[in-house]
Amino acid sequence: MEAQLSDVEAGRRFYGELFGWTFGQTGEDGEDGESDGGSGDAGDPASEPERPKEPGKAERPGKAGRPGERQQPGTSLRAYLEGEPVAALVRKTDGRMPTVWSVYFHTPDARALAERIRAGGGQVVTPPHPVGELGTAALAADPEGAVFALWEPGGHRGFGRRHEPGTFAWAELYTRDTEAANAFYGDLFHDALFGPDADPDFGRAPVSDVFPAEMPPHFLVHFLVRDVEAALGTVARLGGRVRVPPFETSYGRAAVVSDGQGASFALLQR
């Protein structure tokens, strides 16, 4: 899971204070060193990522990975909570690129999964490619155009912490056709989503449930917080915006916000 930002240092200040993250700079070789990134008094240390699945024989969605494109030293920061990796902030290489949080799905074989994405009617935007010694990444889109990434771990396994305040808690796909989305992602990640031992951290909902009907299908990353209202106050103080006020979902109480650069994400209280 990573944020594509124009100003990585501004992102460090925002997310460091909101979630209590510290940061280490990462280059092409994957070497990094943890450094202080601000402390989250926020009144609510933000969120914890929902538990991505551990690698297994079947492809399973979950773990956040490294950027889908190799970065020069100084353009990427790995975010930590209590010494464990929880996300990455990546400087955009082209100002025309969207400012977004990207969701990565873990897979033991990125190339095989990319072929299944094509066969299911999706697109492979950036084919699988190595990211130094860290792993293999790819960028894809589902048949409705919602963009997501793949991560085949090498030296970097993914999340070190999740399901705690300040980490990833949930990924919601807002789509126009939930049945078609269930069919597409169910084929890619059937056991993780619908198997007898499934404990998914990935849901599907109509775009119009929360957003204007004309908004394109997209993924929304959720971070766990202890108190949504307190976290919203911190977001505003740090220069972010509330996009959708708190609302109830089947997986908790959520609010949609954006950082000072426009990258949207959700705060989730359970």
Side-chain angles (χ1 to χ4, degrees):
M1 182 176 64
E2 70 183 22
Q4 298 277 345
L5 304 173
S6 296
D7 188 338
V8 170
E9 287 303 314
R12 178 205 292 260
R13 293 189 294 271
F14 181 92
Y15 292 103
E17 184 161 354
L18 178 61
F19 294 144
W21 291 351
T22 56
F23 297 87
Q25 186 167 298
T26 303
E28 273 194 13
D29 58 5
E31 294 297 321
D32 62 358
E34 189 181 355
S35 61
D36 290 338
S39 61
D41 70 9
D44 159 60
S47 76
E48 103 178 341
E50 182 106 46
R51 182 167 52 93
K53 309 301 177 185
E54 294 299 325
K57 293 183 179 179
E59 294 152 345
R60 309 184 74 179
K63 294 192 177 182
R66 293 283 308 123
E69 163 180 350
R70 289 189 180 185
Q71 304 294 318
Q72 297 301 317
T75 64
S76 176
L77 293 175
R78 189 177 296 174
Y80 299 85
L81 185 65
E82 297 184 11
E84 297 289 343
V86 293
L89 308 182
V90 179
R91 181 171 294 120
K92 296 192 296 184
T93 56
D94 186 331
R96 295 169 295 180
M97 295 170 61
T99 301
V100 295
W101 274 98
S102 298
V103 173
Y104 279 73
F105 288 125
H106 170 277
T107 175
D109 189 336
R111 286 172 176 79
L113 186 55
E115 289 304 314
R116 292 172 59 196
I117 288 169
R118 291 189 183 99
Q123 300 179 53
V124 176
V125 180
T126 303
H129 59 280
V131 183
E133 299 299 318
L134 297 172
T136 299
L139 191 66
D142 69 20
E144 290 198 348
V147 175
F148 60 96
L150 309 179
W151 184 249
E152 178 185 333
H156 179 59
R157 303 299 299 173
F159 290 134
R161 302 178 77 93
R162 49 207 177 256
H163 297 173
E164 311 167 10
T167 65
F168 167 81
W170 189 261
E172 188 78 351
L173 170 64
Y174 285 98
T175 182
R176 303 200 193 289
D177 188 337
T178 55
E179 290 188 7
N182 285 338
F184 177 78
Y185 291 99
D187 178 66
L188 299 180
F189 309 116
H190 182 271
D191 288 348
L193 295 176
F194 305 116
D197 299 321
D199 183 20
D201 49 15
F202 165 35
R204 283 75 62 203
V207 170
S208 56
D209 278 5
V210 176
F211 301 101
E214 61 271 18
M215 179 170 283
H218 64 283
F219 281 89
L220 183 66
V221 172
H222 292 54
F223 294 99
L224 192 67
V225 297
R226 293 192 175 97
D227 184 331
V228 166
E229 298 294 346
L232 290 177
T234 303
V235 167
R237 177 170 60 79
L238 294 173
R241 295 181 60 185
V242 178
R243 301 292 183 178
V244 181
F247 58 97
E248 298 298 329
T249 74
S250 61
Y251 50 87
R253 180 172 170 79
V256 182
V257 301
S258 60
D259 63 22
Q261 300 179 65
S264 292
F265 59 97
L267 303 170
L268 180 64
Q269 180 180 336
R270 288 174 158 169

